[in-house]
Amino acid sequence: MSGHGGFRKRIIEMGFIAGQDVEVLLNAPLQDPVKYRIMGYEVSLRRDEADMIEVVGQAEAEAELKGENADANPEPLTLEHIGEDELRAAARRHRHTINVALVGNPNCGKTSLFNFASGAHAHVGNYSGVTVDATMAKATFGDYTFNLTDLPGTYSLSCYSPEELYVREHLTERTPDVVINVIDSSNLERNLYLTTQLVDMNVRMVCALNMFDEFERRGDHVDIDVLQTLMGVPMIPTSFKSGRGVEELFSTVISVYEGQNKVARHLHINYGHEIEDGIAHIQQYLKADEHIRQRYSTRYLSLKLLENDQHATEYITRHLLEEHNTEDRDRLLAARDRAAARVLEETGTDAETAIMDAKYGFIHGALAEAEFQTGTEEDTYRWTHFIDNVLSSKYFGFPIFFLILFVMFQTTFTLGQYPMDWIEAGVAWLGEWIGASMNEGPLRSMLVDGVIGGVGSVIVFLPQILILYFFISIMEDSGYMSRAAFIMDKLMHRMGLHGKSFIPLVMGFGCNVPAVMATRTIESRRSRLITMMILPFMSCSARLPIYIMIVGTFFTAQWRSWVMISLYAVGIAVAVIISRLLSRFVIPGEDTPFVMELPPYRWPTAKAIARHTWEKVKEYLKKMGGIILVASIIVWALSYFGPSATGPIDTAENMEESYIGRMGKTIEPVFAPQGFNWKLDVSLIAGVGAKEIVASTMGVLYSGDDSFGDDDSFSEDTDKYTRLQQLMTAEGLTPLVAYAYLLFILLYFPCLATIVAIKNETGSWRWALFAATYTTLVAWLVSAAVVQAGLFF
């Protein structure tokens, strides 16, 4: 059942409880309300009220039985076949499905519970903002099925950040059956602040005291029985790394759902005389509105109005205006203002601050009653402080950060080269085998030059992608990412950004799409916008195959890592310049203070790193079989056929006459200052869909190039880079042009998925199209300037 407070209580009192038969008797002349029979008497309900009561009808029972008996009974099942026993059985199964929302602070272990219980593979990171959207999965315990929803980590249910508002709206509009409030036991007092807000919302709740093993190891103490009784919420010690307490937790969720838990009760936190009077006064107006009374806890909504919560005020105003109750709106807001003024006069602080102080007073009193004490045997932060004295120090912080980047890229090249050679040899053998096994023609050309030449030219970089994500996983899961934001805050501030902007920017090295979504953790809309606008300059892993291909082709081994680092450095430098310009001329304003939790360092488990790395590699492989495969075939077709050709175009000399050659020649003047040839131009256009397509396009265009087939400079042992270098050099390309090409790849149009993500996060195509346009212009200017400056000097 959805609905809140008085409505839920009244409906239950009238007999609408689990297991009861409900019969529809009659619609009113205007089709509303509707008369029902339940427990031997008849009752009238409006349709919008009835919609909030969950029932299993014959149609749903029929659908369930059809699914169960599809194999055993192929005959069509009609409603006449459904008896009372089957209907009750279907109702029991439906009733044994519990919708559970996971709510908690960042870094509390919420996503670890989600993964442990459901077997899902949501990313777990030791920094704020890993879960940037709701993730859903199923879990089973006994004969119950749990629909788990992992909500974004949030410190409160205010409306200062998008994730706070997202969680609040989910709880009020989706009304989960039970909320699991995951609490970091090592930060009990702070975590309980969110618990008090959930208590105000009057949701059925169970608290998981997570990381309780650390709590005990440190020597902390709390009387859980006393604390849960005072809070009116069952509390279960858990550790999601080992699975401790998980069974008891879900057993408790079931008891709360069934109304059988002796601890669970609804209580009102006493906020003091003046605040309580204000709440009661505002509630009078809210309870008079049936729509509000049925859907929200009027006490919770009164508190939000008293706090001058913008979202709550907008909702009330919009609803009352829709109902044409402007007088009620004015009276309600006037009552709110009078109550807030009295609180200010009585306490000397605004109502929001007074309510926060009262919450912490309640928490402090409850912990004192529960004999809460922090231990002295082991300080969770002892090793963290020791490590931070090195990694985050004034003198070593930046050098170590750049050393980590250098080691990451050097390892990516050197260690990844061996499996890359094996994959490349396998791809080459497969192409030769298919070429020798099939007769010459379009099909063979498509398979060899299109599919294998295109997809194969990208899949060979899989080991490097794996190594890159391995390093990023370690930094995320260990807590180093938060330290990176800490040491970069001053630089971020000078860029006109927030320190928290650094986390999405670093995430952008993996993929720009989740990085754009991760900007939700930034409270300031101004900083969020600027961060999204410069995120495309962060070199995502999709660009890595292109970098490796071109850098490996034109630069010697001792320079490759430095060239790679220079690309990342240029991206960061351009982001700094653009963010300064945007913050000064396009999106001016003041930034919010830098407040961010620095969690203790935790050694990431091998399982977590392997799972996170594999999830990213799996996404990469999906691209191979999806968009890159399709794009490779399209590029092959456009290069194999031409508008004026009498037959297939299968030699490099005639490729300019193909459709793709004509396209390249048409746009070639645009890139004349950069010295790009038409093949490079075409690959840039193809990369608009996904950056990996640039590498696959070049693989297709150069795989059929046999212009040097009779040249003695090529032997059977000539490696791919040497051959590609000679082919590209013969077309007038130099290391300078190649570097400018890499800069263009780095800076220009983000992929379509990133554009859509920006649109979704900003709510406007204007910002998305702005990002697409200005980044391409910046890429053109920078790459042209580098080539022209290089030629001049």
Side-chain angles (χ1 to χ4, degrees):
M1 181 188 299
S2 56
H4 294 268
F7 173 75
R8 180 190 288 269
K9 185 172 183 292
R10 182 182 58 158
I11 287 298
I12 291 175
E13 289 172 346
M14 292 173 66
F16 286 89
I17 58 176
Q20 293 298 321
D21 294 330
V22 182
E23 182 182 356
V24 180
L25 297 179
L26 181 68
N27 290 325
L30 297 178
Q31 303 302 307
D32 198 12
V34 181
K35 184 166 68 171
Y36 300 90
R37 177 184 287 126
I38 183 169
M39 297 181 72
Y41 75 100
E42 297 175 2
V43 61
S44 170
L45 282 178
R46 290 177 180 168
R47 287 183 180 273
D48 59 350
E49 295 171 339
D51 286 342
M52 290 187 283
I53 304 173
E54 264 189 286
V55 296
V56 176
Q58 286 185 316
E60 291 173 277
E62 176 192 15
E64 285 195 27
L65 290 174
K66 277 183 177 179
E68 292 177 2
N69 299 311
D71 298 329
N73 182 17
E75 295 295 322
L77 186 67
T78 62
L79 291 176
E80 285 77 11
H81 291 92
I82 302 176
E84 185 175 346
D85 291 341
E86 287 85 356
L87 191 59
R88 287 186 179 278
R92 279 196 300 273
R93 284 192 296 273
H94 195 72
R95 177 169 155 257
H96 280 205
T97 299
I98 306 177
N99 297 316
V100 176
L102 306 183
V103 180
N105 287 190
N107 302 310
C108 68
K110 180 171 49 63
T111 304
S112 296
L113 167 62
F114 180 80
N115 289 338
F116 187 93
S118 66
H121 294 156
H123 174 213
V124 180
N126 192 15
Y127 65 98
S128 173
V130 174
T131 306
V132 292
D133 210 339
T135 309
M136 287 167 280
K138 288 185 180 294
T140 57
F141 182 79
D143 58 349
Y144 285 82
T145 299
F146 295 87
N147 294 325
L148 299 176
T149 303
D150 182 21
L151 294 172
T154 177
Y155 293 106
S156 74
L157 297 177
S158 304
C159 61
Y160 296 119
S161 67
E163 74 268 16
E164 291 176 345
L165 195 55
Y166 185 94
V167 173
R168 196 167 90 184
E169 288 182 342
H170 182 92
L171 296 179
T172 55
E173 295 176 9
R174 301 291 182 88
T175 57
D177 298 316
V178 181
V179 170
I180 295 180
N181 177 208
V182 182
I183 292 174
D184 178 0
S185 300
S186 62
N187 291 290
L188 200 54
E189 186 169 5
R190 191 204 67 202
N191 278 245
L192 286 174
Y193 180 79
L194 177 60
T195 308
T196 61
Q197 293 189 316
L198 293 169
V199 168
D200 288 335
M201 293 187 77
N202 191 16
V203 297
R204 289 187 288 185
M205 177 170 47
V206 178
C207 286
L209 299 178
N210 193 31
M211 305 179 195
F212 208 76
D213 50 350
E214 292 185 16
F215 180 88
E216 292 174 327
R217 188 168 59 247
R218 196 171 62 180
D220 292 358
H221 168 77
V222 68
D223 189 326
I224 296 176
D225 291 336
V226 173
L227 184 60
Q228 66 181 1
T229 300
L230 292 173
M231 300 291 294
V233 182
M235 295 183 172
I236 311 299
T238 60
S239 174
F240 301 141
K241 286 184 178 180
S242 63
R244 171 186 175 180
V246 173
E247 289 191 6
E248 185 182 356
L249 175 66
F250 281 95
S251 178
T252 307
V253 169
I254 293 171
S255 69
V256 170
Y257 172 71
E258 297 288 3
Q260 299 171 351
N261 191 279
K262 296 180 181 179
V263 175
R265 63 188 175 92
H266 176 57
L267 57 83
H268 289 170
I269 298 171
N270 191 311
Y271 291 104
H273 173 70
E274 282 301 331
I275 295 176
E276 289 294 335
D277 280 354
I279 292 171
H281 197 52
I282 297 171
Q283 266 187 298
Q284 293 176 4
Y285 295 94
L286 296 177
K287 287 180 177 179
D289 190 295
E290 193 170 11
H291 173 89
I292 294 173
R293 188 176 69 247
Q294 291 176 359
R295 285 163 176 78
Y296 295 92
S297 162
T298 55
R299 179 177 173 84
Y300 167 75
L301 207 52
S302 299
L303 274 167
K304 286 298 164 188
L305 288 172
L306 194 55
E307 291 175 347
N308 200 25
D309 183 281
Q310 182 181 357
H311 187 261
T313 304
E314 288 176 355
Y315 162 72
I316 293 295
T317 302
R318 184 173 62 252
H319 167 68
L320 294 178
L321 286 177
E322 288 174 354
E323 297 294 322
H324 305 290
N325 291 334
T326 54
E327 292 183 1
D328 289 347
R329 179 203 61 182
D330 294 340
R331 283 197 293 267
L332 174 59
L333 295 181
R336 187 272 309 273
D337 294 340
R338 286 196 300 272
R342 284 198 302 270
V343 171
L344 178 62
E345 182 180 353
E346 180 75 19
T347 65
T349 60
D350 60 88
E352 183 178 16
T353 304
I355 291 170
M356 292 171 61
D357 290 342
K359 284 185 185 295
Y360 275 114
F362 172 78
I363 294 168
H364 184 74
L367 289 175
E369 286 285 327
E371 300 176 348
F372 172 67
Q373 291 180 341
T374 56
T376 57
E377 293 183 11
E378 181 180 347
D379 182 4
T380 303
Y381 284 88
R382 185 179 62 185
W383 283 104
T384 294
H385 295 159
F386 176 77
I387 297 170
D388 270 343
N389 287 336
V390 179
L391 296 185
S392 303
S393 70
K394 177 180 179 181
Y395 301 105
F396 299 110
F398 284 104
I400 289 176
F401 178 67
F402 287 110
L403 177 63
I404 290 173
L405 290 181
F406 179 79
V407 171
M408 180 171 68
F409 294 130
Q410 188 67 25
T411 307
T412 298
F413 267 112
T414 55
L415 188 61
Q417 186 64 44
Y418 298 103
M420 178 181 171
D421 291 340
W422 302 334
I423 297 174
E424 188 178 347
V427 170
W429 174 85
L430 181 61
E432 291 172 1
W433 180 77
I434 292 177
S437 303
M438 298 180 65
N439 294 326
E440 188 172 340
L443 180 59
R444 187 185 78 164
S445 178
M446 182 189 73
L447 291 175
V448 175
D449 298 329
V451 176
I452 297 175
V455 176
S457 63
V458 179
I459 202 171
V460 295
F461 301 108
L462 182 62
Q464 280 91 345
I465 299 293
L466 191 149
I467 293 171
L468 179 69
Y469 274 115
F470 173 78
F471 276 97
I472 292 177
S473 298
I474 291 177
M475 288 193 289
E476 289 178 342
D477 296 351
S478 65
Y480 182 69
M481 282 295 196
S482 294
R483 271 64 188 187
F486 171 73
I487 65 176
M488 293 293 290
D489 176 61
K490 189 170 185 178
L491 177 60
M492 293 289 106
H493 188 67
R494 289 180 176 177
M495 291 168 59
L497 292 174
H498 196 280
K500 284 187 180 179
S501 297
F502 188 69
I503 290 176
L505 292 177
V506 174
M507 288 180 68
F509 291 144
C511 180
N512 286 168
V513 175
V516 169
M517 297 172 68
T519 58
R520 296 179 188 177
T521 62
I522 305 170
E523 291 84 356
S524 165
R525 174 171 171 79
R526 170 180 173 272
S527 289
R528 281 201 306 274
L529 279 174
I530 297 174
T531 305
M532 279 187 269
M533 291 302 102
I534 65 172
L535 259 172
F537 298 135
M538 299 300 104
S539 200
C540 67
S541 61
R543 297 176 171 98
L544 193 61
I546 314 164
Y547 295 167
I548 296 173
M549 176 184 287
I550 301 300
V551 172
T553 297
F554 283 94
F555 300 95
T556 57
Q558 63 265 33
W559 289 104
R560 289 173 183 172
S561 294
W562 293 108
V563 172
M564 286 284 284
I565 285 190
S566 74
L567 292 173
Y568 285 77
V570 168
I572 294 171
V574 171
V576 170
I577 296 169
I578 296 298
S579 66
R580 289 287 293 172
L581 294 174
L582 291 175
S583 63
R584 185 178 182 120
F585 300 108
V586 182
I587 318 173
E590 291 297 322
D591 203 1
T592 56
F594 176 63
V595 181
M596 187 185 71
E597 180 185 3
L598 293 175
Y601 286 105
R602 290 189 172 95
W603 188 255
T605 64
K607 182 179 178 181
I609 294 175
R611 184 172 58 198
H612 180 205
T613 305
W614 168 244
E615 287 297 316
K616 297 301 182 182
V617 170
K618 189 167 65 174
E619 291 176 13
Y620 188 75
L621 291 174
K622 284 181 179 178
K623 278 189 177 182
M624 299 300 103
I627 184 172
I628 293 175
L629 175 61
V630 174
S632 297
I633 294 174
I634 292 173
V635 170
W636 165 83
L638 292 174
S639 64
Y640 192 76
F641 301 102
S644 59
T646 56
I649 299 171
D650 56 358
T651 63
E653 291 89 343
N654 299 327
M655 197 177 290
E656 293 182 11
E657 299 302 319
S658 66
Y659 287 108
I660 202 167
R662 294 288 184 90
M663 291 168 55
K665 285 295 182 181
T666 302
I667 63 172
E668 195 170 29
V670 176
F671 297 100
Q674 287 88 347
F676 299 164
N677 63 24
W678 67 268
K679 292 181 181 179
L680 299 185
D681 300 342
V682 167
S683 68
L684 293 175
I685 295 175
V688 167
K691 291 297 173 282
E692 295 96 338
I693 299 176
V694 174
S696 67
T697 300
M698 294 181 67
V700 171
L701 295 179
Y702 282 100
S703 65
D705 195 332
D706 56 357
S707 56
F708 286 86
D710 299 327
D711 198 312
D712 292 337
S713 61
F714 286 114
S715 66
E716 292 183 0
D717 296 329
T718 301
D719 64 69
K720 170 186 173 180
Y721 289 147
T722 304
R723 177 178 174 82
L724 188 59
Q725 181 186 24
Q726 294 188 23
L727 290 174
M728 299 179 80
T729 302
E731 295 177 346
L733 300 180
T734 64
L736 177 63
V737 174
Y739 189 72
Y741 178 71
L742 290 173
L743 290 176
F744 199 97
I745 293 291
L746 164 71
L747 302 173
Y748 90 116
F749 191 104
C751 68
L752 289 177
T754 303
I755 293 297
V756 173
I758 293 174
K759 182 266 175 187
N760 291 338
E761 293 304 311
T762 60
S764 169
W765 277 111
R766 181 170 65 93
W767 287 110
L769 296 177
F770 173 73
T773 303
Y774 100 88
T775 53
T776 304
L777 179 61
V778 168
W780 191 95
L781 291 172
V782 171
S783 58
V786 166
V787 170
Q788 295 305 312
L791 292 175
F792 178 78
F793 290 108

